[in-house]
Amino acid sequence: KGNGSNFFFIDINTTTRCNLRCKYCIEPFKVVKDLDDNIIDKFLSRMSEFKESKFMEQYDGITFGFWGGEPTTHPKALNKIIRHYENDPKVRFLIYSNGYRIEHIKPLLEEFRDKKLPNGSDKIYYQISYDGYEAHTVNRVSAAGQSTVEEVRESIKWAVKEKIPFSIKSTINRDTFHLMAECYQDIR
């Protein structure tokens, strides 16, 4: 047993759906697949066994990372899994998001903003992908090809104002590498 920081990570792709078409994305966006209730129920059942297994004795808990596509485009899956474990002191969540069109997920993030595990870590942590103004403008466009930079910046401002536990993840690719200094200054 550790000090509460030794968590086993399980990443869950909740959907192939995404509301952006980032220029460097490798997803083809040809088929939409969402985790359905049957799969989620099977997953939760198997996780009950896994959490009690001999293997898990070496860990202090589990971190579920929600991915996609864009995981917030399938809030039903997020809600079902989070609600199942909302009172479990050995389970926490990390939502990897592009921060675009998140109105429907804000109430959940606000509800959990102050919830901590016994080791002091956040029950839900939110990561927003924002590359910095110049690179984001070039690379992270909506499915309709429109800029998303202002709306994502508003999501970041909202998270700061509401004291949501979050971080920013930036992607600088070869086409925007020359913008790294400007992007760093913007994010800072």
Side-chain angles (χ1 to χ4, degrees), residues 145-161:
Q146 303 300 309
S147 174
T148 63
V149 71
E150 292 304 328
E151 191 166 335
V152 174
R153 287 169 66 111
E154 288 303 314
S155 294
I156 293 167
K157 289 176 189 174
W158 166 82
V160 169
K161 178 179 164 260

Side-chain angles (χ1 to χ4, degrees), residues 33-95:
K33 291 184 182 178
D34 291 335
L35 277 183
D36 64 35
D37 282 340
N38 291 332
I39 297 292
I40 294 170
D41 290 341
K42 286 179 187 176
F43 170 76
L44 294 173
S45 175
R46 294 302 304 263
M47 284 310 304
S48 294
E49 297 170 29
F50 182 69
K51 282 182 65 217
E52 302 305 319
S53 71
K54 184 96 171 134
F55 174 80
M56 281 304 295
E57 290 177 6
Q58 64 187 309
Y59 294 98
D60 298 310
I62 296 174
T63 300
F64 291 113
F66 294 110
W67 293 84
E70 169 57 30
T72 65
T73 64
H74 190 24
K76 183 177 179 184
L78 294 178
N79 274 303
K80 186 165 186 167
I81 296 168
I82 289 170
R83 294 295 175 203
H84 185 82
Y85 292 110
E86 71 181 305
N87 296 315
D88 189 323
K90 292 187 170 197
V91 175
R92 63 187 180 186
F93 306 98
L94 177 53
I95 301 172

